[in-house]
Amino acid sequence: MDLTDVDGALSRLAERQQFSGAVLVRCGGEVLLDRGYGLASHTWGVPATSDTRFDTASITKLFTAVAVLQQVRAGAFALTTAAVDYLGLEGTTISSGATVHHLLSHTSGIGDDADEEAGESYEALFRDRPSYSVRDAADLLPGFAQKPANFAPGEGCRYCNAGYVLLGMMVERATGTAYRDYVRQHILTPAGMTRSGFFAMDRVEADVAEGVEPVRDGDTIVGWRRNIYSYPPIGTPDGGAHCTVGDLVRFHDALLDGSLLERRDVDLMLAPHGLQETRDDGVEHWVGYGFEFERNPDGSTRSWWKEGINVGASGILRHYPASGTTLAVLSNLEDGAWGPISLLDDALTN
């Protein structure tokens, strides 16, 4: 499989300032592409490399899903446990019937802090509330605790950040450990993700990409704005961990080889649980525990993935089971990853 043409196309996107980030593609044990493109820092003109740490946005939900399944296996709570009961959230509008299963699979129907499917902006949450005041999962609770539900648990499938905030809070209550500390100890370290972590925007950290967005005059980029006021200053259970593309692939390896979960729990994580849509070609889009899935009309899985997007961040971790190919794309632009992801998908499946 030759990705030379894709590499050239990615370089041209970077030259046009449409992509800055890193890409890793591996088929079996062979690395097909592993390099950085564009700038990790537009302030200082520092090039991005494959060793740059990028904000992964919602890809972080995979770590939360693993943490939750670890605690289910430990007996702290069950997939059928209601979050409201476990966390003592009576008096909120969060459905008392929303279980761990519903929250993991985006089938809870609970109101989200920023309902992106309804066109709400996550960045807008912090126009009236200082983003620096939101550092822990519980700090996010006021943003959705009194929002009305979209549907009863199990009666639909709608992507929901708030569900993963609640799951992170459940892990904290079960373990007596802060979410970020738990993930470091029980996921990043055993997976060999030595370059990954939760890096605060107000702390100096080496090799961490600056999240930026272009400032335009018409179609011309005339400058760049940082994303430091756009969301919390450090990652929470629904998003914001920093990783290299190599560490994301290491996470996927560790998940499949049993370093993080027992085989039966890996199977749960890799099982589709909520149907989101069926395309005209018959391919179904399912949501699982963290991962999302494309299923062909014959029932086979075309790929599973988790993507993330926020102001100054976009990316994906994706696996194609038929070929055994795994890829990771990370960018410090909100729209940066999508062109590379499309190019790679075409190259790997056609």
Side-chain angles (χ1 to χ4, degrees):
M1 190 182 298
D2 186 1
L3 294 180
T4 302
D5 290 342
V6 173
D7 180 37
L10 296 179
S11 295
R12 289 189 290 275
L13 285 175
E15 289 168 2
R16 296 195 296 268
Q17 297 183 300
Q18 295 173 328
F19 175 50
S20 54
V23 175
L24 173 61
V25 181
R26 194 191 67 196
C27 184
E30 182 184 3
V31 174
L32 305 179
L33 182 62
D34 183 14
R35 61 164 294 193
Y37 301 84
L39 297 176
S41 170
H42 285 71
T43 303
W44 300 104
V46 178
T49 73
S50 58
D51 209 32
T52 301
R53 284 94 75 87
F54 291 89
D55 183 345
T56 63
S58 285
I59 298 173
T60 307
K61 290 183 175 69
L62 293 177
F63 308 151
T64 304
V66 169
V68 166
L69 291 174
Q70 287 174 343
Q71 289 308 302
V72 168
R73 186 58 54 203
F77 45 75
L79 290 172
T80 55
T81 299
V84 165
D85 294 342
Y86 192 81
L87 295 172
L89 294 177
E90 296 81 2
T92 68
T93 58
I94 300 168
S95 172
S96 60
T99 66
V100 170
H101 163 77
H102 294 131
L103 299 174
L104 282 170
S105 58
H106 298 285
T107 57
S108 70
I110 68 172
D112 207 355
D113 50 6
D115 191 337
E116 292 160 311
E117 290 196 23
E120 295 180 3
S121 166
Y122 190 75
E123 185 178 22
L125 294 175
F126 304 104
R127 287 175 182 161
D128 299 316
R129 183 185 187 190
S131 59
Y132 58 76
S133 68
V134 180
R135 289 185 175 265
D136 297 310
D139 295 332
L140 293 160
L141 191 60
F144 62 89
Q146 300 299 333
K147 291 189 76 170
N150 292 298
F151 51 82
E155 295 188 4
C157 183
R158 191 180 185 91
Y159 194 86
C160 184
N161 291 307
Y164 275 73
V165 173
L166 294 176
L167 291 170
M169 292 173 64
M170 292 181 73
V171 170
E172 291 184 326
R173 174 156 294 193
T175 63
T177 304
Y179 168 79
R180 290 185 288 270
D181 292 337
Y182 182 91
V183 170
R184 289 188 194 100
Q185 295 167 20
H186 298 278
I187 298 172
L188 303 185
T189 296
M193 300 169 67
T194 60
R195 298 281 294 157
S196 298
F198 293 87
F199 307 131
M201 292 180 178
D202 56 0
R203 294 291 297 272
V204 174
E205 195 73 40
D207 302 322
V208 173
E210 293 177 346
V212 295
E213 291 300 321
V215 177
R216 298 181 183 275
D217 181 1
D219 293 332
T220 304
I221 296 175
V222 296
W224 299 89
R225 71 178 177 95
R226 297 284 304 277
N227 66 347
I228 57 174
Y229 302 119
S230 302
Y231 60 103
I234 190 167
T236 48
D238 57 331
H242 288 80
C243 297
T244 64
V245 286
D247 271 0
L248 278 185
V249 173
R250 289 183 189 93
F251 166 79
H252 190 263
D253 290 344
L255 181 65
L256 295 190
D257 72 18
S259 297
L260 301 176
L261 293 172
E262 294 184 18
R263 184 68 245 178
R264 53 185 167 170
D265 297 322
V266 175
D267 291 341
L268 272 177
M269 196 162 172
L270 295 179
H273 294 289
L275 179 61
Q276 197 157 54
E277 66 173 342
T278 302
R279 299 197 317 233
D280 292 341
D281 60 3
V283 174
E284 296 174 337
H285 176 191
W286 286 77
V287 177
Y289 289 173
F291 283 110
E292 299 177 50
F293 304 83
E294 290 176 306
R295 299 187 76 180
N296 296 311
D298 63 4
S300 62
T301 298
R302 180 181 183 269
S303 73
W304 62 70
W305 75 92
K306 183 69 191 88
E307 64 186 24
I309 180 172
N310 215 325
V311 178
S314 57
I316 197 168
L317 171 63
R318 191 171 203 162
H319 181 73
Y320 300 87
S323 65
T325 302
T326 305
L327 67 84
V329 178
L330 292 172
S331 176
N332 55 349
L333 301 171
E334 182 175 4
D335 293 329
W338 314 123
I341 290 168
S342 179
L343 288 168
L344 288 163
D345 187 60
D346 288 344
L348 295 172
T349 59
N350 295 322

